[in-house]
Amino acid sequence: MNADLIVQRENSQVLEFKIAKATKAQLQEINSELALGFSAEELSIIQAYFIKEKRNPTDIELQTISQSWSEHCCHKTFKGKIQLNGKEISSLFKTYLAKATKEINAPWCFSVFEDNAGIVKFDKGYGIAAKVETHNHPSAVEPFGGAATGVGGVIRDILGVWADPIACTDVLGFGPLDYDYNKLPNGVKHPKYIYRGVTAGISAYGNNMGIPTVNGAIYFDDSYTGNVVVYCGCIGLLPLNKYVRSGKVGDYVVLSGGKTGRDGIHGVTFASAELTEKSEEISRPAVQIADPIEEEKVKRAVVGIRDAGLGSGITDIGGGGLSSAVGETAERFGSGVAVDLEKVHLKHEGLSPWEIYLSESQERMLMTIPPENLEQVMAIFEKEDVHAVAIGRLIPERRLRLSYKGELVSDIDMAFLFSTCEITKTATLEQAKLIEPDFPEPQNLTQTLLDLLAAPNIASKEAVIRTYDHEVKGNTLLKPLQGDYAGPNDAAVLKPVDVSNKGLVISCGMNPNYGKIDAYWMAASAIDEAIRNNLAVGGRRIAILDNFTWGNPEKSERLGSLVRACEACYDVATNFRTPFISGKDSLYNESPLGPVTPTLLITAIGIIPDINKTVSVDLKAAGNLIYIVGDTYSELGGSEYYKLKGFLGASVPKLNASKARKSYYNLTKAMGEGIVKSCHDLSEGGLAVAAAEMAFASGLGLELDLQKVPAKNVSRDDFMLFSESNSRFLIEVAPEDQKLFEELMGKYSKPIGKVTKEQKLIIKGLSGKAVIDASIDKLRYSWKKTLNPKEDIQ
Amino acid sequence: MNTEDIKVCVLRVGGTNCDAETQRAFTELGAKAEVIQVSDMIKKRNLLDYNVLVFPGGFSYGDYVRSGVIFARHLSANLGKEIRQFVDEGRPLLGICNGFQILVEYGLLPGFSGISEFPEATLTTNEPAGFKCKWVYLKQENRGKCAFTSAIPAGKTIQLPIAHGEGRLLFPKEKEQALLKKIIDQDMLVFRYCTKDGETAEGKYPDNPNGSFHDIAGICNPEGNIFGLMPHPERAMYWWQQPTWTRENQMLKYGDGKLIFQSIINKLTKTNH
């Protein structure tokens, strides 16, 4: 950089930059040299501010502003303006997501979109906090560390609302495990390496901290080869009367947990840029190092301080390090803050003040503590063997004042630091040019079903699930894998409060393949699937979380599909009355192999009023009746069946949400009567795969008749079997409950067969002839063989 | 002694993470159970005020060295005298999962001739390798010595979950047959991995989930007051924790894990301690 632009302060580690008279090119030079990531417009705003302040900015000030204004921290895309077809959307977040929640206005929402995590009421004075994070970029560079710190980070989000973490979730997207090595561009790691590293990282962190990982999914897609998708979720429990957010001027700002080092500097800038061949070299330091045992101790201290009512505010230290946490804490309490960076406990010497302030070293929390409680708080930290120190105080002047060794290194106006995000982006809608395939119906549909069960997106993920401890804490009432045959339950259920008989239901939904056809229906389907999975085990009163993984939003068609997905979020959530309580976006997922396929994860949190009414996936008794809920349509675009045949197609599954809502309402009533013996939602692979899973999870057989399945314009057996139409379930009911069940369901269910003692799945086709005839052992073997080691396939 | 007079100490340190559910299991049955941070125990309390000591599951100190070894060394350095007196008096000591690893690393188990200076066995990397969380079947093989299984008839099959990566019990190869004989003769064998029908696994995966020698899942010392096992009884305390409860029409109130906690309470309430 041009040395004339820099002023080295005397006897100081701080640099100043002469920006008042700098040209645009010189500003750009500072921008790229310090890796600040500002746009030209932002640079001139900063220039004007410091001209007004009549001084040069320091490096730490520029870095602080950069962190604060980065996509990762302030969500420019979701909160900024978007031009689409001459219409202006003022904020995706406010126009769609928050608006849905506001309109639904559920009385059981305790705190939404305000904190590190959303909170809903549970029972006996307890609340449930939930948050899902993305950790895609770090996992692409260093899979184990990236995923482990993703888990650690989201657990701290839960601690950041005073909640005790009780469960983790993980939804992962990888490239095909058999991807051709020769086709991998430089800098892109092989999917198998990433798969192994990411799953090991998740298991290491969750298991070591003793938080059960109870729900998740693994999805394979070509576009994830260059852009791995890692969603880490955490659910927490808190007594609602212990939730405090009342920091005031004079309170101490207390930093606790791990030491601060040079790991994880510029993580947020990294997360807001595309991945390139150089990411490994440049961004490796941006991936942090995980220490779950430290976080376990921090957790105990946080819960102890909460229960004693000693704190006035708390937040985690994540993206942006102290720079985000300190500033946001002061902003939230309407004050300013003065921090002495010399007090920060360091891993090693030689960090300059800006590095201390930006470091994303893990396992750290920030609290505000009223002066009279400081001593007791320190005693709790000491008991748990956690380092803690008061690094500053909230001050009345609305300034961010940082000092280091007696020198003032930052003094910025808080209002300036938190102004911004008024950026307009342009979106366009592109209609994908897709055609519906035309191919003859396979002769042997039993073989097709076996092939589908073995398809990576459907196949058993048991080998991975069993490396996650899903039983620790002893509250897992419905496990991810059911019984001796390890069948796939639709959701996990916890019994989180000893004195309550209510269950907590955790499920998810994600349909990235549909997004290749239409982002609107992808989003609608993901919400429907998450809700279906929740209802299938008996859940109700559902809150949802949104997590977007998208490509570069500067590219207008990527932004266009994001707008479409948000529209669906509003439409479907308001219809189902399922408020969004928290969300997170990860944009700029692009690699030398191209953009990520737009991927919306919906996580659903429901409750079961009486845990006795929990329903598992496995068939219960021969002679019971099988009903189907929902209509089947000839809409196989994006389905696993088309994928197996090498097609994408154009007829994406749609959603008739108001009809679905009525059938879900009735189903919930039947669940409440305790007459649903088993239930499974129909998703990837459709009716045939769902039926096979219910059978081989149990050791019982099924006889079904496609002629009895309510359908619209479906003339082929393969389409009936494998269509992925939304809003459908298979339900098992005992003969003695038939009348009551049919009364409760009304027109929304139809009997299509029965449970048999003979261990076979037999499905009669539209012509009356059996089109599927397979032993359940063979079906189960096919389902297990793809991703599990030989010795685990029984 | 009455049940409500039984004082249980569930000892924890950074990385312990099964303390709350272990405490809950004892509390459920009427005993007084406390979770105590080891530094609190060292500085402020007396181990000998307690009737039962439990090392719960977790990853003590991260288990960054051999599992359990750091905590075992920390305990012997700081509470060695109290622990020796505790077990010499015949007071019961239970180690679950990481707790079992600690007992072995400490030399408390197998403890052929009291506390050994060096470990006499090891709990090492599973075969096949890797952390595994699943429910297993166990056969109760103890003839009456073990204080923690008196409520479980010998030969009975129970079901408990495991969640560990290092649970393969091994003895020095050249001594293993002789030591096994000792273990059987002195009634130190407690649980063996078995099939659903109660046939011992005979080393076969997956019924033997970790390759443990002689399918051993849990052993006690010759005196029967120290018991370690890899599976987690505290996760099998209630009906709703069972893996197939949704298949049952009628559920008993408790799961098989309760029998272990009940055994020790029965034992203590029948003695004058």
Side-chain angles (χ1 to χ4, degrees), chain A residues 259-261 263 288 317 347 359-364:
Chain A
K259 293 180 191 172
T260 300
D263 47 318
Q288 311 89 347
I317 298 181
K347 285 184 183 172
S359 163
E360 293 179 12
S361 288
Q362 295 288 292
E363 288 87 28
R364 299 181 302 161

Side-chain angles (χ1 to χ4, degrees), chain A residues 273-493:
Chain A
E274 294 182 15
L275 285 173
T276 67
E277 192 183 326
K278 293 223 170 90
S279 291
E280 168 94 31
E281 188 189 326
I282 299 170
S283 308
R284 188 60 182 250
V287 183
Q288 311 89 347
I289 298 156
D291 178 4
I293 303 304
E294 181 67 33
E295 190 145 309
E296 200 271 332
K297 296 189 290 180
V298 170
K299 177 199 88 176
R300 302 228 188 214
V302 168
V303 172
I305 292 163
R306 171 196 80 187
D307 289 346
L310 299 171
S312 62
I314 186 168
T315 189
D316 86 307
I317 298 181
L322 280 171
S323 80
S324 297
V326 168
E328 280 168 18
T329 297
E331 176 72 7
R332 158 176 297 176
F333 297 131
S335 69
V337 63
V339 162
D340 182 357
L341 293 171
E342 203 186 338
K343 294 203 168 140
V344 174
H345 196 43
L346 299 181
K347 285 184 183 172
H348 44 83
E349 284 303 306
L351 270 71
S352 27
W354 76 265
E355 289 177 305
I356 297 172
Y357 200 52
L358 261 66
S359 163
E360 293 179 12
S361 288
Q362 295 288 292
E363 288 87 28
R364 299 181 302 161
M365 298 295 295
L366 197 76
M367 292 183 191
T368 53
I369 305 290
E372 63 274 20
N373 296 341
L374 188 64
E375 201 176 319
Q376 282 169 276
V377 166
M378 290 302 167
I380 290 176
F381 280 120
E382 197 193 329
K383 179 186 166 190
E384 297 300 341
D385 192 20
V386 173
H387 190 275
V389 60
I391 57 168
R393 297 184 88 155
L394 299 180
I395 57 172
E397 305 83 18
R398 292 267 296 143
R399 307 288 291 187
L400 178 78
R401 288 194 181 132
L402 307 173
S403 59
Y404 184 70
K405 297 192 175 166
E407 174 189 355
L408 193 63
V409 296
S410 163
D411 187 5
I412 327 177
D413 182 13
M414 292 285 297
F416 170 70
L417 190 59
F418 287 89
S419 65
T420 167
C421 299
E422 276 305 298
I423 282 171
T424 304
K425 289 180 177 162
T426 307
T428 51
L429 293 182
E430 258 179 34
Q431 201 58 52
K433 289 184 191 65
L434 300 163
I435 43 160
E436 199 61 18
D438 183 10
F439 61 95
E441 192 170 344
Q443 293 292 311
N444 184 346
L445 288 169
T446 300
Q447 187 54 47
T448 307
L449 173 58
L450 291 168
D451 292 344
L452 268 177
L453 287 166
N457 285 343
I458 294 173
S460 162
K461 314 294 188 296
E462 182 173 357
V464 171
I465 294 169
R466 296 230 182 267
T467 67
Y468 305 149
D469 191 340
H470 46 261
E471 298 275 4
V472 60
K473 289 187 188 294
N475 292 335
T476 312
L477 174 101
L478 191 70
K479 338 270 181 201
L481 300 171
Q482 181 60 32
D484 291 339
Y485 300 112
N489 276 323
D490 286 316
V493 183

Side-chain angles (χ1 to χ4, degrees), chain A residues 736-775:
Chain A
E736 62 266 30
D737 299 321
Q738 177 176 9
K739 193 162 160 279
L740 177 58
F741 180 77
E742 288 180 0
E743 263 173 38
L744 289 171
M745 289 307 294
K747 61 181 180 180
Y748 295 108
S749 77
K750 290 278 177 293
I752 61 165
K754 63 175 195 293
V755 183
T756 60
K757 206 169 161 208
E758 195 187 8
Q759 301 190 337
K760 283 181 108 174
L761 173 64
I762 294 169
I763 304 181
K764 274 198 276 180
L766 295 170
S767 68
K769 264 192 0 218
V771 289
I772 299 281
D773 185 343
S775 81

